[in-house]
Amino acid sequence: MDEKKICVREARVSDAEALCEIYAYYVKNTAITFETEVPSVAEFTDRICSIQAWYPYLVAECNGQILGYAYAHRYHERAAFAWDVEVSIYIHQETRRGGLGRILYEALEAALKKQGVVNCYALVAEPETEDDYLTFDSLKFHQKMGYHIAGTQHYSGYKFDRWYHMTTLEKFLGEHKKGMTEIKPYRTVE
């Protein structure tokens, strides 16, 4: 994949079908997501709109084809968690391991920093031992991107007649200090 041809941009409502197709592979064939039913395009559209009310939802495309997407959303609703987000990324299964994940996460983290987000959390499914549905690749990717393990919920997800762990990884994007300013909605920052 030629990284020079990759364009990262905001997701559009018209992207929902392509994004849903990428996600469907992970729902049907992996334990990367604990979702067991593929959402409808309408539901995916609602998810995009809901997230974009405050946070970035980015797609990567090459020659007009969407190859992956990444987004952030509120980690917890309580006011004290306002500076925290959960991040997610999905890459088209045929373009994995080509650097696209790094490109998307770098763009996502840059946008989150501008908003004033301080803490990023990634919830990563982890197998006891690798199997046909889940490897340690996502865990390794996040660690390569500077995320550190914050904790693991053991045997917390049941999919494909197997139990999987959920590991939380964290990355600090900003300084933890007194007098924090409120984060800004994504679309209001440059």
Side-chain angles (χ1 to χ4, degrees), residues 115-129:
Q115 284 185 264
V117 170
V118 178
N119 303 313
C120 284
Y121 297 98
L123 278 62
V124 175
E126 185 180 348
E128 187 73 25
T129 57

Side-chain angles (χ1 to χ4, degrees), residues 34-122:
F34 286 170
E35 198 155 9
T36 58
E37 297 292 327
V38 177
S40 68
V41 173
E43 185 176 346
F44 225 85
T45 300
D46 290 344
R47 291 179 185 187
I48 293 168
C49 293
S50 174
I51 288 167
Q52 285 183 330
W54 266 94
Y55 299 102
Y57 199 125
L58 306 177
V59 300
E61 65 181 4
C62 183
N63 299 323
Q65 181 185 2
I66 295 175
L67 303 176
Y69 63 97
Y71 61 91
H73 63 86
R74 186 85 182 246
Y75 184 61
H76 282 292
E77 293 304 315
R78 303 278 192 273
F81 292 110
W83 296 268
D84 306 344
V85 295
E86 180 183 339
V87 294
S88 295
I89 186 167
Y90 292 93
I91 305 296
H92 191 285
Q93 69 273 13
E94 294 175 9
T95 58
R96 292 180 304 186
R97 301 179 196 262
L100 192 58
R102 177 186 48 78
I103 292 167
L104 273 167
Y105 257 23
E106 286 174 353
L108 183 66
E109 290 172 3
L112 293 168
K113 283 180 186 179
K114 289 179 183 177
Q115 284 185 264
V117 170
V118 178
N119 303 313
C120 284
Y121 297 98

